[in-house]
Amino acid sequence: MIIDIHGHYTTAPGALEQWRKRQIAGLEDPSSMPRVGDLKISDDELRETIERNQLRQMRERGSDLTIFSPRASFMAHHIGDFQVSSTWAAICNELCYRVSQLFPEHFIGAAMLPQSPGVDPATCIAELERCVKDYGFVAINLNPDPSGGHWTSPPLTDRHWYPIYEKMVEYDIPAMVHVSTSCNDCFHTTGAHYINADTTAVMQLIQGDLFKDFPALRFVIPHGGGAAPYHWGRYRGLAQALEKPLLDEHLLRNVFFDTCVYHQPGIDLLTKVIPVDNVLFASEMIGAVRGIDPQTGHHFDDTRRYIEGADLSDEDRHKIYEGNARRVYPRLDAALKSQGR
């Protein structure tokens, strides 16, 4: 199988965005705040958006299954309060669940959390539990910066985050560390804020000793790990200066990187620097980069081409495409086995 561990519902019916605009407007004028029941999206609408977009491209590019979560840039945890985020997360997660039920062979869910700046992460537990227990989701997305580019939360190694980590260990699920929209003009959302956050998460984890408290905790750092693989010597040197163990022991038992890197040299570097056991196939399709690369004539986010073009053995490709995903996402492995796959 070819398992894409990083997909977002970026093509949801327009009614979802219109409802969200009404919710945001309701922050200024409570009388205009929409009710959850005001959002009407039929199964046929969901089928159309998926069949014309994600599923069509999966078939064209030869991938089998996508771990599917709400649109990252739409999470916008900095907007409103916890109640606003809670309602919005529940709506978005339900849509991903419905997609997974309509296309059970091709999609399985990962949850958006109802995070809010300055709010105890323990408030996210109810939605996390609902998504795992009721929806069969196999992972969560964890935003290390709910402030939207101002970084007001403690580092990921701080006890502030422990309520979520405890549930992750209990349910044996990983978290993809994924920020949302940047409301800071200094940081372009997908070109700077996303990559900055990936890099920042890696350094935070190097500085701390989180995995001594949670040896079974697993994080996926998306977008190829930001700058980390490119500057791996810097991080090894910083870890040494901080008197931390070698990164193979200190980090790589618990931290994994995806292949959302949109050119062949980037994938070549990723797979040479980071052990293959820590690399998971992903495309973020349909995501931030949707155009065709004029140098190749293929879509930038057709990442399978780069894995096929990399200097890898068949065994290594199997690990990247399927084996590592089944190991890092045990609930995914169980779901596939229940389907006879």
Side-chain angles (χ1 to χ4, degrees):
M1 291 184 66
I2 296 181
I3 300 169
D4 187 335
I5 62 133
H6 189 171
H8 300 297
Y9 198 2
T10 54
T11 61
L16 179 66
E17 184 174 1
Q18 293 305 311
W19 189 96
R20 175 62 163 171
K21 288 179 177 178
R22 290 178 59 197
Q23 187 191 38
I24 294 171
L27 298 175
E28 297 293 331
D29 177 12
S31 67
S32 66
M33 183 67 74
R35 297 170 299 175
V36 173
D38 293 340
L39 180 62
K40 307 291 185 183
I41 297 177
S42 69
D43 284 354
D44 285 342
E45 290 177 282
L46 296 180
R47 287 191 188 95
E48 181 180 10
T49 62
I50 294 296
E51 288 175 344
R52 290 177 55 187
N53 295 289
Q54 282 88 352
L55 189 55
R56 174 182 59 83
Q57 292 192 23
M58 287 170 65
R59 287 168 172 161
E60 290 173 355
R61 300 175 187 184
S63 63
D64 299 297
L65 175 75
T66 296
I67 297 179
F68 204 51
S69 62
R71 185 174 180 174
S73 62
F74 268 28
M75 295 191 297
H77 292 122
H78 61 280
I79 294 176
D81 57 13
F82 170 75
Q83 188 55 54
V84 168
S85 286
S86 181
T87 302
W88 179 232
I91 285 173
C92 293
N93 286 329
E94 183 184 18
L95 287 181
C96 288
Y97 169 66
R98 288 173 61 190
V99 168
S100 74
Q101 295 302 289
L102 292 169
F103 302 96
E105 293 186 357
H106 299 291
F107 297 92
I108 195 164
M112 163 186 171
L113 299 180
Q115 297 177 246
S116 190
V119 177
D120 187 342
T123 58
C124 297
I125 299 303
E127 182 66 14
L128 186 159
E129 290 185 328
R130 185 171 74 97
C131 288
V132 172
K133 292 180 178 179
D134 298 346
Y135 291 169
F137 283 12
V138 298
I140 61 172
N141 289 343
L142 180 64
N143 185 351
D145 174 37
S147 71
H150 296 288
W151 290 92
T152 58
S153 295
L156 290 169
T157 52
D158 192 270
R159 297 189 68 86
H160 170 82
W161 301 100
Y162 277 26
I164 290 177
Y165 299 161
E166 289 164 359
K167 282 297 175 182
M168 288 171 58
V169 171
E170 178 183 345
Y171 291 130
D172 204 12
I173 57 172
M176 178 172 284
V177 179
H178 205 309
V179 289
S180 185
T181 299
S182 169
C183 58
N184 184 335
D185 290 340
C186 295
F187 304 119
H188 182 278
T189 291
T190 55
H193 188 42
Y194 282 14
I195 309 304
N196 292 347
D198 304 332
T199 309
T200 299
V202 170
M203 190 62 215
Q204 288 179 0
L205 295 171
I206 290 172
Q207 287 178 273
D209 294 296
L210 177 63
F211 303 123
K212 288 184 178 178
D213 286 349
F214 295 98
L217 198 65
R218 298 184 301 283
F219 290 120
V220 176
I221 310 296
H223 318 114
Y230 186 72
H231 288 283
W232 200 242
R234 174 180 291 257
Y235 293 113
R236 289 194 296 110
L238 288 169
Q240 180 175 293
L242 291 167
E243 299 182 346
K244 301 297 183 182
L246 296 175
L247 292 187
D248 284 2
E249 176 185 347
H250 187 53
L251 204 69
L252 294 183
R253 293 176 180 177
N254 306 85
V255 176
F256 304 85
F257 301 81
D258 78 13
T259 64
C260 292
V261 180
Y262 296 146
H263 64 153
Q264 188 67 54
I267 290 294
D268 292 343
L269 181 140
L270 175 68
T271 54
K272 287 178 181 177
V273 171
I274 301 300
V276 168
D277 286 346
N278 292 78
V279 179
L280 300 156
F281 179 73
S283 69
E284 204 179 1
M285 179 274 295
I286 297 170
V289 182
R290 307 186 185 194
I292 292 176
D293 184 345
Q295 295 182 6
T296 67
H298 302 295
H299 284 86
F300 285 101
D301 62 356
D302 186 359
T303 53
R304 183 181 175 187
R305 292 181 179 275
Y306 311 136
I307 303 303
E308 294 298 318
D311 183 16
L312 296 165
S313 67
D314 289 344
E315 179 183 0
D316 286 346
R317 285 194 182 88
H318 171 74
K319 288 181 178 180
I320 291 172
Y321 283 144
E322 176 181 2
N324 294 342
R326 287 182 179 265
R327 177 168 51 87
V328 176
Y329 296 77
R331 286 179 175 267
L332 168 65
D333 184 51
L336 290 173
K337 287 176 177 175
S338 73
Q339 297 175 353
R341 294 198 281 176

